[in-house]
Amino acid sequence: MISDPTPHIAARAQRTASVARTSGATIPGRRSLLRAALAGTTALGAGLAMGAEPAAAAPAAAARKRPTNAEEALRELEAGNRRWRTFRERHPDESPAVRQALTASQHPFALVLGCIDSRVPPELVFDQGLGDLMTIRSAGQVLDEAVLGSLAYGVLELQIPLLVVLGHQSCGAVKATVEADESGKKLPNHIQYLADQISPAIDRAKEGAARIDATIDANVRLVRARLAADPDLAAKVKTGELTIVGARYELTTQRVHGIS
């Protein structure tokens, strides 16, 4: 338990006053105290600023070779996920030099459309850093105008060559959709919107937990197909400037694998 400091402060103030009276010294006036406080604040601010500068002045690390096409981007994501699941993360592109360079422009090499699940942050599961990935996340990778517009921006404006639709094991949005479909129960308004988008992917050939698991994969395929049919994205796919792939993250093994 933290004790009340008030008695100690009061006693210290009395001792200070007594010493001042004994020695003939006077207690500084309010203006003197204020000037001292301001001077101390200025010194502290200068210290913080000075403390931040040496890191920025450190020698820049060797430039990292960045993927320039979808094939190279996929290899980099695979290598990053391998590091992640074997606990050999590098946490790349976080240096002061990279942070400074990114203030001028960004050139992410992959787009990842993932789920909002807190256990599946793309930058971590692919062991990538600042400026490497453009990530868009919605429950169950559901598409709406905001998501589509964000994806289109990455492809059309930033010329990103790879778009990954990333589903994951034990997806809550998919589970809620399947269970609501089976029970006939209506979900809360905004959540029902998600279920309406996911429900065409329900795998009715399976039962129980197997149905939910199969629907996760089917939903990834459905979203990928919808994106491939978008006119702007389809044009980029046709010219070979864009590749759209489906993938799934396994919570139990931390492995990302492709879904054909």
Side-chain angles (χ1 to χ4, degrees):
M1 177 179 289
I2 300 176
S3 59
D4 182 2
T6 304
H8 302 292
I9 294 172
R12 185 165 54 192
Q14 290 173 355
R15 287 196 299 272
T16 302
S18 176
V19 170
R21 286 193 297 272
T22 303
S23 62
T26 58
I27 302 299
R30 287 185 178 181
R31 292 183 179 178
S32 298
L33 288 172
L34 180 60
R35 283 196 295 270
L38 288 172
T41 302
T42 303
L44 177 60
L48 288 173
M50 290 173 62
E53 289 302 320
R64 179 185 178 201
K65 185 181 183 300
R66 300 181 65 76
T68 58
N69 56 52
E71 185 178 353
E72 291 177 357
L74 273 173
R75 283 201 298 267
E76 175 55 38
L77 294 184
E78 290 170 356
N81 178 245
R82 191 179 307 114
R83 294 192 300 270
W84 166 256
R85 68 177 187 264
T86 56
F87 304 97
R88 297 176 181 177
E89 302 95 317
R90 295 177 184 170
H91 302 290
D93 295 334
E94 298 178 2
S95 69
V98 168
R99 297 183 195 191
Q100 182 60 36
L102 288 172
T103 62
S105 63
Q106 61 168 326
H107 303 283
F109 63 81
L111 261 168
V112 180
L113 172 58
C115 183
I116 60 170
D117 196 294
S118 63
R119 300 166 293 179
V120 196
E123 289 85 354
L124 292 184
V125 303
F126 289 119
D127 190 29
Q128 300 301 315
L130 296 173
D132 294 333
L133 305 180
M134 179 170 280
T135 58
I136 295 93
R137 301 174 69 177
S138 65
Q141 305 84 247
V142 164
L143 300 175
D144 62 15
E145 284 302 309
V147 171
L148 287 168
S150 300
L151 293 170
Y153 179 85
V155 172
L156 304 179
E157 299 298 322
L158 298 181
Q159 309 300 315
I160 299 175
L162 177 66
L163 196 171
V164 180
V165 180
L166 181 64
H168 67 93
Q169 180 184 19
S170 301
C171 179
V174 171
K175 180 180 180 182
T177 298
V178 171
E179 292 179 346
D181 178 77
E182 292 173 346
S183 68
K185 181 180 178 181
K186 199 78 172 175
L187 295 168
N189 189 34
H190 298 300
I191 300 176
Q192 185 61 50
Y193 171 82
L194 299 174
D196 290 342
Q197 299 299 308
I198 296 171
S199 59
I202 293 176
D203 189 337
R204 303 187 186 283
K206 304 287 177 61
E207 298 291 340
R211 173 175 289 182
I212 296 171
D213 196 66
T215 300
I216 291 170
D217 292 357
N219 185 54
V220 169
R221 296 188 188 98
L222 176 64
V223 173
R224 184 186 61 199
R226 287 174 173 171
L227 291 174
D230 178 85
D232 289 334
L233 301 185
K236 289 288 186 178
V237 171
K238 186 175 181 180
T239 61
E241 298 172 86
L242 174 67
T243 297
I244 305 176
V245 301
R248 170 171 160 150
Y249 178 70
E250 303 298 341
L251 296 175
T252 50
T253 63
Q254 294 88 59
R255 177 174 177 261
V256 175
H257 59 88
I259 293 179
S260 56

